[in-house]
Amino acid sequence: MKSSCARPCVAERATPSSGSALLRPRATAAAVVVALLAAATTLQGCDTPHVAGFIVMGNFDSSSHHVGQWRSERSYWEKNAYRDPETGEPAFNSCMNKELSIVQVCGGHGHCAPFDIDEVEHPIFFCLCDAAWVGVECTTKRKKQSVAWFLSLTLGPLAFDEMYMGWTLEAMLKLIVTIVGSVVGASKPDIGVAIVVSMWMFDVVRIGMGPVQTTSHRVEEDLPRISFAVLTVLFFCMLGIIAGLASMYYTVIARRRRWDQMTCYASTKNWA
């Protein structure tokens, strides 16, 4: 005799979580394939195979070069070597050449100094450059701190100071901040001015306080601290005075115009 309490058959349904779990490995594999293809198509420094002739659908030749980008730059040896006056060949560390005179070492822009003042038996000398020069052989002219500070003070929002020091990416970011501040200032002047002026004053103080770093070396420290402080304060005080006078002028003009409109309206009303 069959029991009347038979267990009903209930079809199991796939939940959304189980479907997403099945899709995750496929998405991961697809992401890995895309990353490998991107890496394979953007590698530089080697020849890539040409498929022209196998697939007749146009020219599939990709541009390539036989020399890597890092090999196209001047080597450290070439940038920091000096020319031997007798052989004409490049050599390293002119201070260790006993045949050179005092005016021939360090590119004529420095003097030789011992690496270790306590070493007497086998001393090693190197070039100690003048304040305006830098490099192993003192052949690179430093950029001036005074010029960078002046560009930051007068043309700072336009990123002329960053471009002078060779910071291209920082210059672009600074220009973007200036543009954003100008756009915001069109609707909210206080916030827009605060964005531009805060970035502007930060760079002015940063560059004027000491020799900042360029892309390859520090700038020449030729700006006295007292001159930087006094001139910076006077410049921004002058800008504040000019802005205050301009605001006062336009406020007076607006009030006069409003008074004239009210007077004209009152006289027209009385005449009517």
Side-chain angles (χ1 to χ4, degrees):
M1 182 177 179
K2 295 183 180 180
S3 174
S4 60
C5 297
R7 183 180 180 183
C9 298
V10 179
E12 296 183 357
R13 296 181 180 179
T15 60
S17 60
S18 62
S20 60
L22 294 175
L23 292 177
R24 286 174 186 172
R26 298 181 182 179
T28 304
V32 171
V33 172
V34 172
L36 291 176
L37 289 176
T41 55
T42 56
L43 289 176
Q44 298 181 2
C46 56
D47 293 335
T48 58
H50 296 173
V51 297
F54 299 94
I55 303 176
V56 187
M57 293 179 60
N59 186 10
F60 283 86
D61 293 343
S62 58
S63 59
S64 61
H65 49 274
H66 298 277
V67 180
Q69 178 66 23
W70 65 275
R71 290 185 179 273
S72 62
E73 300 291 336
R74 292 182 60 193
S75 64
Y76 181 84
W77 171 266
E78 293 177 353
K79 290 189 294 185
N80 297 283
Y82 75 97
R83 290 286 177 179
D84 194 312
E86 294 185 359
T87 62
E89 297 293 331
F92 195 72
N93 198 356
S94 59
C95 287
M96 298 302 293
N97 190 344
K98 299 180 181 179
E99 303 298 329
L100 299 181
S101 63
I102 192 173
V103 296
Q104 292 177 314
V105 297
C106 304
H109 305 295
H111 61 277
C112 296
F115 184 80
D116 186 2
I117 58 176
D118 297 328
E119 180 65 36
V120 180
E121 296 182 359
H122 304 286
I124 298 177
F125 294 91
F126 69 99
C127 287
L128 186 61
C129 303
D130 298 336
W133 295 84
V134 69
V136 177
E137 292 294 331
C138 307
T139 54
T140 304
K141 180 75 172 177
R142 290 182 185 269
K143 294 183 178 181
K144 294 182 177 295
Q145 179 190 4
S146 57
V147 176
W149 168 79
F150 181 78
L151 290 175
S152 181
L153 186 67
T154 56
L155 300 172
L158 300 179
F160 274 69
D161 50 351
E162 301 291 349
M163 289 186 285
Y164 172 74
M165 294 184 292
W167 300 111
T168 305
L169 179 60
E170 286 74 5
M172 295 176 61
L173 294 176
K174 195 171 184 179
L175 282 175
I176 292 174
V177 172
T178 301
I179 295 173
V180 170
S182 302
V183 172
V184 173
S187 57
K188 298 181 179 179
D190 296 338
I191 299 178
V193 171
I195 293 174
V196 176
V197 172
S198 60
M199 175 197 62
W200 184 11
M201 294 187 66
F202 174 80
D203 280 342
V204 170
V205 175
R206 177 179 64 89
I207 296 174
M209 287 293 292
V212 293
Q213 182 74 29
T214 65
T215 53
S216 58
H217 54 270
R218 291 188 179 274
V219 296
E220 180 186 355
E221 192 174 4
D222 62 340
L223 180 63
R225 188 70 59 83
I226 185 65
S227 301
F228 149 70
V230 172
L231 293 177
T232 301
V233 171
L234 289 177
F235 179 81
F236 281 104
C237 286
M238 181 183 65
L239 286 184
I241 293 173
I242 294 175
L245 292 176
S247 177
M248 184 184 301
Y249 171 78
Y250 288 111
T251 302
V252 170
I253 293 296
R255 289 183 177 180
R256 286 182 177 178
R257 187 173 302 168
R258 185 179 178 184
W259 174 258
D260 292 341
Q261 291 176 353
M262 293 177 63
T263 304
C264 181
Y265 175 76
S267 60
T268 304
K269 186 177 180 180
N270 293 332
W271 181 79

